[in-house]
Amino acid sequence: MKAMVLKKFNQPLELTDMDTPQIKEDEILLKVRGCGICQTDLKIIGGKIPREFVRLPAIPGHEIVGEVVEAGEAVSGISQGDLGVVYICVFCHECEMCLAGRQNLCLNLKRIGFDLYGGLAEYIRIPAHTFCPFKRNLSLDFPVHDLAITADAIGTPYHAITRFADVKAGQNILIVGAGGLGIHAIQIAKLYGTKVFVVDMDLNALNLAKEFGADVAFEPAEALEAIQELTNGLGVDAVLEIVGLPETLSWSLPSLKRGGKLILVGYAPGRPFPLDAMAMHFHEWQIIGSRFVTKSELKQIIKLIEDGKIKPVVAKTFPLEQANEALEALRSKTTLGRIVMTF
Ligand SMILES: [Zn+2]
Ligand SMILES: [Zn+2]
């Protein structure tokens, strides 16, 4: 099979001919139908993710939709031809976090597309417990490869909004960043009847945000003032920080209402943000880290997609062989929103 392999950090991926993986009894073999790429892949390739989490050679790609080609003898309920997405976390089922339903925080976590081979390959071998199928008679009004982004670009904001921001009808949320995650965060927040403010530097991203339901969209320079005006000086109930840079946190945190919550989804390795403890104290602001998604949440998202309540938004596709060009488009921000590799 063909795979795009990371052999050295900071080097282009190499198109490599490899043996099609052999599955064990509790695994399945998927024919990859689509694989999304994101900023995390740039961090992986650039060697910016701690090295104990990425072993070389690596096959990146953690947003995968695929079709079952073969299931191991011990696998039940999954058949050839089933279509599904891959839950990135290979979890142990036994640790304190797994037992609490927080598989994204498993103490023995391994991740597909990080320390395990990912989806930038024609086939992938995965433990059966990471396969999350769509219903068998699924009919879509968009290409199958768009489903690839379910696990991360939809899953990550879903976890952050439903578990932590916990916004309700009549409340408001500020979403910082209208890219691949942001555009789905808007759709999810709207399902809760929340008023959605979106900030992005890119005017086209802001237009797209409005198309997908953002009530107000503005550029960073006007954010703080506009929010004060639109909320009668109170601030927003929640901030979803998808960027996570000190530059955005400097105005997104003070946009909060008293008692408000800032959910940190994005992060910038090695760029800490100084915290004003006095302001935190006076306003009783909460800052909460949010990492990826739990498996049960991913299953809920699958239902929402099946019912047409959330639509995966893919900006551009590239064939697998052009993964380096796709990564460059992501790096140079010439493409807005999610990019998916097709097969
Ligand atoms: Zn990602
Ligand atoms: Zn565990």
Side-chain angles (χ1 to χ4, degrees):
M1 67 165 187
K2 281 187 229 155
M4 295 299 289
V5 182
L6 177 68
K7 295 184 178 166
K8 269 190 192 154
F9 291 113
N10 278 310
Q11 294 292 317
L13 304 177
E14 283 181 38
L15 180 63
T16 308
D17 244 318
M18 298 174 75
D19 291 337
T20 303
Q22 298 285 317
I23 55 165
K24 294 185 191 148
E25 59 169 18
D26 58 349
E27 294 179 335
I28 57 176
L29 184 69
L30 286 188
K31 182 173 172 40
V32 180
R33 298 283 304 272
C35 181
I37 54 168
C38 81
Q39 293 292 332
T40 307
D41 293 309
L42 295 178
K43 292 179 185 129
I44 289 172
I45 293 164
K48 297 207 169 77
I49 300 284
R51 296 291 163 94
E52 70 257 38
F53 300 134
V54 183
R55 253 175 300 157
L56 299 185
I59 301 178
H62 54 267
E63 288 189 325
I64 305 161
V65 62
E67 202 178 297
V68 177
V69 195
E70 195 189 342
E73 279 164 31
V75 176
S76 61
I78 298 174
S79 319
Q80 217 180 25
D82 284 355
L83 183 74
V85 292
V86 178
Y87 182 56
I88 299 165
C89 304
V90 175
F91 54 97
C92 75
H93 296 86
E94 300 288 345
C95 75
E96 189 187 328
M97 291 296 142
C98 283
L99 292 174
R102 303 179 79 173
Q103 304 88 3
N104 56 322
L105 302 180
C106 171
L107 300 174
N108 304 300
L109 185 68
K110 290 209 178 322
R111 286 176 296 171
I112 291 162
F114 291 72
D115 30 14
L116 302 172
Y117 281 172
L120 293 183
E122 289 177 297
Y123 294 90
I124 183 171
R125 164 175 89 94
I126 55 165
H129 76 260
T130 62
F131 184 69
C132 299
F134 287 93
K135 61 182 181 189
R136 293 206 166 111
N137 55 351
L138 181 70
S139 76
L140 298 170
D141 56 4
F142 52 83
V144 166
H145 56 239
D146 284 6
L147 292 170
I149 65 172
T150 304
D152 187 13
I154 304 177
T156 298
Y158 185 85
H159 178 66
I161 292 173
T162 60
R163 187 173 188 116
F164 297 122
D166 193 27
V167 279
K168 297 172 176 66
Q171 294 190 327
N172 46 43
I173 187 169
L174 166 66
I175 295 171
V176 183
L181 265 66
I183 207 73
H184 301 102
I186 295 165
Q187 296 184 53
I188 295 158
K190 291 309 291 182
L191 291 177
Y192 288 86
T194 311
K195 186 165 186 181
V196 176
F197 303 155
V198 176
V199 176
D200 200 286
M201 292 193 307
D202 192 300
L203 287 177
N204 293 320
L206 293 178
N207 286 332
L208 193 67
K210 281 191 210 147
E211 217 176 285
F212 278 89
D215 295 284
V216 197
F218 32 72
E219 292 177 78
E222 53 194 35
L224 199 49
E225 205 177 318
I227 289 163
Q228 292 305 321
E229 208 175 295
L230 289 161
T231 60
N232 297 323
L234 292 175
V236 294
D237 295 276
V239 170
L240 188 70
E241 248 295 352
I242 298 174
V243 180
L245 284 169
E247 291 84 350
T248 56
L249 284 160
S250 67
W251 51 260
S252 67
L253 181 61
S255 304
L256 281 177
K257 186 188 260 184
R258 290 195 169 183
K261 298 177 218 172
L262 182 140
I263 318 301
L264 261 182
V265 170
Y267 58 95
R271 305 270 326 271
F273 170 67
L275 206 57
D276 180 347
M278 190 169 75
M280 296 294 299
H281 165 89
F282 276 130
H283 301 288
E284 286 198 352
W285 285 332
Q286 299 178 57
I287 299 183
I288 305 167
S290 178
R291 182 183 186 185
F292 193 46
V293 64
T294 68
K295 188 173 168 183
S296 69
E297 288 162 347
L298 184 54
K299 291 186 143 194
Q300 289 159 13
I301 295 165
I302 284 175
K303 278 192 218 128
L304 289 167
I305 294 174
E306 287 173 347
D307 293 345
K309 304 260 199 254
I310 298 178
K311 187 178 191 295
V313 184
V314 171
K316 201 168 178 184
T317 60
F318 288 83
L320 174 69
E321 295 79 0
Q322 289 176 23
N324 290 311
E325 286 82 344
L327 289 160
E328 191 42 48
L330 188 67
R331 192 177 288 121
S332 60
K333 298 189 174 14
T334 49
T335 303
L336 284 174
R338 224 30 159 205
I339 295 175
V340 166
M341 311 307 301
T342 56
F343 292 77

